[in-house]
Structures are given as C-alpha cells and as structure tokens.
Amino acid sequence: MPFIETTDGTALYCKDWGEGPALAFLAGWGLSSDFWQYQLAPLSDLGLRCVAYDRRGHGRSDDPGRGFEYDTLADDLAAVLEARQLHDVTLVAHSMGGGEVVRYLTRHGSERVRRVVLVATALGMPRLPPEVGDAVRAMYASDLAGWARANAPAFVGAGLPGCDVSDELVDWVLRDILRASLRAILDCNRAMLETDFVSELGTVDVPALLIHGDTDASIPLEASSAVAVNLIPGARLSVYEHGPHGLMLSHRERFNEELLAFAKG
C-alpha cells in the first residue's frame, strides 16, 4: 500500500522502488517525494532500494493542519522506517529535511541508520530575528504563488553556467510546491527558522556527507553547510560550483554518482 499511518493517524504517501541497500529520501520545505524522481529511478535501477515520502501537508499525504514542528516530523520519519522495515538505511535529506534527520537521531537513535546525506541543508544557519520570519511568512500568506514563480528559476539554477535546466523543469518545481497546504508552508517555515540544532549536531554518530552549491540563493553555503560540517563529528563537505539550491536537478549526474558511491561505500 502506498500510504503509511503515523502515530497521530496522519496518512503519508510513500514510494518504495527497487531492491538492495536502502536509501530514504526527505524533500525540502514545500516539496513532495516527486522532487527526488531523478534519483529514485536511476538509483533503483542500479541495485538500491529507494524510499521517499510526502511530508504531512505536502503532495498526496494527509493535511491534518498540525504537527509541523520537528518532533512530530521526526516521529513521522520513524513511522516510515518502521513501516517499511528499513535497517542500515542511508537518509538523504534536502534543505529543511536535514533538521528532520537530526531530530530523528536525537529522539530515536541511529540503530536503523547507516549514513546521512544532507543536501543544501538549513542546519548551521544563525537564528533570524522574529520579525524577519514574520515578514517572510506574511509574504507567503499574501501570494505564495507569486513568490514561487519569482524564485523557481533560481532554485533550479536557470541561467547559471553548467546548469542545463529547461523552462518546463522550472514549471514542474513550481507546480510541486503549490500542492503543499498554506498551513504546512507557514508552520514548516517557522520551525525551520526558529529551531536551533547546534547542540544536536554534535551528537550525530553516523558518517555524514554534506553537499551544497556555492551559488545557492535560498540557503547560502557559508551560513549553513560550511558551519554545520564543523559541528558534526567526522562530516565531509562537497561543494558544487555554480550549484543552486535544487542542485540534484541541475547537477543530477554528478549528484547521483556521488550519492551512489557514498551509499555503497
């Protein structure tokens, strides 16, 4: 069945493709599991089991209007890993998803987890003044579609050297984010901007690979991954030249090769 029920009765839509060593993918803020399809298809053909799910309030999952703080989101991840009986899994998280992975490790431990990959992570970012977050959310609440239309090209690296992306790919990303409920958009943004993971990063006890683009317009490298890599014991940072926030789309061949090598290493 494509749906998994969480502890509070929320149904999460889940893809489960292929057989072999397992990877579980967590999409970034506002995005669904479809975002990972350019990884799920080729990697599942190469002998990996690829699991990805829609966060509550996103994609095809239930929208309960609550539970968008990191504790509940981490427990949702735990429900997915248990329902799919995943062990020795590599967790691959984009942007906001990195916080869900770290909070999962804090709350549930690393018994099921072999490695983690944090892509364009928001971890390590300094906390912003409350009024900044309030202004950002007010913009989303007044015209999320207009904001997404203006920012989708930069998200996939349109116009950047070496980024082979089409207008249609930009439109596809735009459609995906507009499927998320406004409640999820606002509350997840608040959680991402107001949660401090500094003390938790030092407790990560599995190998960690951080991947970030040096032209990320959404979460600058210098304020996030470049900080977080020094807080996670033994972590390694891979920087993509001209890489945008959605570098797994613009640089998918390099990203997939690096992900495959790390997962099988």
Side-chain angles (χ1 to χ4, degrees), residues 32-228:
S32 77
S33 59
D34 287 354
F35 176 70
W36 293 108
Q37 66 180 353
Y38 294 104
Q39 284 69 54
L40 302 180
L43 293 178
S44 62
D45 286 340
L46 292 172
L48 294 174
R49 181 183 177 191
C50 297
V51 176
Y53 66 98
D54 295 351
R55 183 184 294 110
R56 60 175 60 211
H58 294 64
R60 287 140 294 196
S61 290
D62 282 353
D63 180 18
R66 65 185 187 279
F68 298 110
E69 80 290 336
Y70 275 107
D71 282 357
T72 300
L73 296 175
D75 291 349
D76 287 353
L77 171 58
V80 172
L81 298 185
E82 181 177 357
R84 294 303 185 195
Q85 299 181 9
L86 297 177
H87 297 274
D88 293 324
V89 63
T90 297
L91 301 178
V92 185
H94 178 238
S95 192
M96 175 188 175
E100 290 163 274
V101 165
V102 171
R103 184 58 54 85
Y104 169 85
L105 293 173
T106 300
R107 288 172 67 81
H108 299 276
S110 59
E111 182 180 356
R112 290 181 178 268
V113 180
R114 183 168 182 249
R115 302 169 185 266
V116 298
V117 181
L118 307 175
V119 189
T121 188
L123 298 173
M125 290 183 65
R127 304 279 66 79
L128 299 174
E131 58 271 19
V132 174
D134 291 342
V136 168
R137 287 184 291 276
M139 178 176 58
Y140 299 152
S142 64
D143 188 1
L144 176 65
W147 174 86
R149 169 59 68 186
N151 288 275
F155 178 90
V156 296
L160 290 177
C163 293
D164 183 18
V165 297
S166 64
D167 292 340
E168 289 76 14
L169 186 62
V170 174
D171 291 342
W172 176 75
V173 171
L174 179 63
R175 289 193 300 272
D176 194 34
I177 194 171
L178 293 180
R179 291 195 298 171
S181 78
L182 187 59
R183 180 78 278 147
I185 288 288
L186 298 175
D187 288 0
C188 284
N189 175 267
R190 182 183 297 278
M192 182 169 58
L193 295 184
E194 296 183 359
T195 307
D196 188 351
F197 285 98
V198 169
S199 62
E200 294 174 66
L201 292 176
T203 68
V204 174
D205 59 355
V206 295
L209 170 64
L210 281 68
I211 299 175
H212 214 116
D214 65 3
T215 53
D216 189 327
S218 300
I219 300 179
L221 164 66
E222 295 76 12
S224 52
S225 292
V227 176

